[in-house]
Amino acid sequence: MRIVKYVYIVLLAAMVVACARDKEPAEAAIKGAGQAIDQIRGEASRYAPDQLKQLEDSLKSAQDAFSKKDYKAALDAASTLSAKAQDVAKAAAAKKAELTKSWEDLNAGIPQMMDALKSRLDILSKAKKLPAGLDKDQLAALTSGYDEAAKQFQAAKDAAGAGDLNKAIEAGQAIKQKGMEMAAALGLKQQ
Amino acid sequence: MAESDKPSGDSWKLEQWHEVAAGDTLSKISKQYYGDATLYMKIFEANRNILKDPDLIKVGQKLRIP
């Protein structure tokens, strides 16, 4: 009976030592993971928000386990987070490159579209009579639509300049659609 | 008078083209597209690369309508 008691105590002590042994590595892994996530947060929050949230949730799990003195679980949860943060950074960079390309296409194309619309509207504004299928009210609406699109394009460029490519692209696509509708009303065709 | 397409492959380019038919003048073309014959010089200026004189246009010429 006494031997069993000793074995029990020894086993318990071994478990305590094993757990304590993971404390410092777990603490270091959590700290490292937190730093790695902080480093990528800026771009990731903009271009890979879902993946960033997963990382932050995993870090929180590791911190919770550490608080409960479950150092092994904390170490397991935190040890891969730095590498995962780099994967998220790569995904964010890829998404940013994709959005940048989309915006550059819009930013190069919209002025061409706007120039063609403005040219036609300027000429029609000087006409004493309008062509068949277009009356003064329609021309006024198209001119107003052009002015609005020009303002929206400036806002899109401002958004892109501020780094909000999603907003810039959304606005740019809306301008393109509106511009193409105006072009159709003016008889201009997409070549 | 015939409106013609002149594909260039640029999806952003918005243009309108007119293929000159027998009896066309720039004034007539201007009237057709702008509703006002007096604006014919706009078409002439936009096609200075192929037109030397607003009174001399040839059947089959493709004119850009700005």
Side-chain angles (χ1 to χ4, degrees):
Chain A
M1 191 65 185
R2 210 172 196 181
I3 290 172
V4 172
K5 192 176 175 183
Y6 282 135
V7 168
Y8 179 74
I9 290 168
V10 167
L11 280 174
L12 194 64
M15 282 173 66
V16 169
V17 168
C19 281
R21 198 178 52 207
D22 286 334
K23 183 179 179 181
E24 280 187 21
E27 195 168 22
I30 288 170
K31 188 179 176 189
Q35 287 171 341
I37 293 170
D38 283 346
Q39 281 177 355
I40 66 152
R41 182 170 280 109
E43 296 279 280
S45 63
R46 193 162 260 171
Y47 303 111
D50 293 344
Q51 288 163 280
L52 175 64
K53 186 172 185 313
Q54 283 178 5
L55 273 182
E56 289 173 332
D57 289 348
S58 297
L59 178 61
K60 174 116 186 14
S61 296
Q63 288 166 332
D64 289 347
F66 190 87
S67 299
K68 291 171 186 165
K69 300 189 190 308
D70 188 351
Y71 303 125
K72 186 174 184 316
L75 181 59
D76 288 346
S79 60
T80 59
L81 286 182
S82 292
K84 284 180 181 169
Q86 294 314 306
D87 292 341
V88 173
K90 284 179 192 166
K95 184 67 178 174
K96 184 180 182 181
E98 178 192 324
L99 292 176
T100 298
K101 172 77 173 65
S102 295
W103 168 247
E104 285 173 352
D105 289 346
L106 288 164
N107 194 33
I110 287 173
Q112 292 181 46
M113 180 186 79
M114 298 295 279
D115 285 350
L117 292 171
K118 186 165 191 332
S119 168
R120 179 59 62 94
L121 288 169
D122 284 349
I123 292 171
L124 290 174
S125 73
K126 295 180 178 75
K128 290 169 188 153
K129 281 181 67 182
L130 291 171
L134 188 67
D135 61 30
K136 279 188 176 178
D137 289 343
Q138 287 171 318
L139 181 61
L142 288 166
T143 303
S144 167
Y146 172 86
D147 292 341
E148 183 60 28
K151 281 182 197 163
Q152 288 172 343
F153 184 44
Q154 186 55 53
K157 288 195 285 189
D158 290 346
D164 194 344
L165 290 172
N166 284 311
K167 185 178 177 184
I169 290 166
E170 190 180 337
Q173 286 169 341
I175 294 163
K176 182 179 185 182
Q177 185 179 344
K178 188 175 181 179
M180 291 303 170
E181 287 168 7
M182 291 171 63
L186 290 168
L188 295 167
K189 290 181 179 169
Q190 205 170 354
Q191 299 296 309
Chain B
M1 292 188 288
E3 190 180 338
S4 69
D5 293 335
K6 195 174 180 182
S8 70
D10 184 348
S11 67
W12 284 99
K13 216 172 218 175
L14 295 173
E15 291 181 332
Q16 195 168 29
W17 294 82
H18 177 91
E19 187 171 339
V20 177
D24 271 352
T25 63
L26 285 188
S27 296
K28 280 186 184 176
I29 297 168
S30 176
K31 171 88 175 155
Q32 178 187 345
Y33 292 99
Y34 303 146
D36 186 340
T38 65
L39 294 170
Y40 70 92
M41 283 300 287
K42 299 288 183 187
I43 300 171
F44 176 64
E45 291 297 338
N47 293 277
R48 287 296 294 262
N49 57 327
I50 58 168
L51 298 179
K52 302 293 176 222
D53 184 328
D55 293 325
L56 292 176
I57 59 173
K58 296 174 187 169
V59 171
Q61 278 181 320
K62 287 187 169 73
L63 303 180
R64 189 171 73 81
I65 309 300

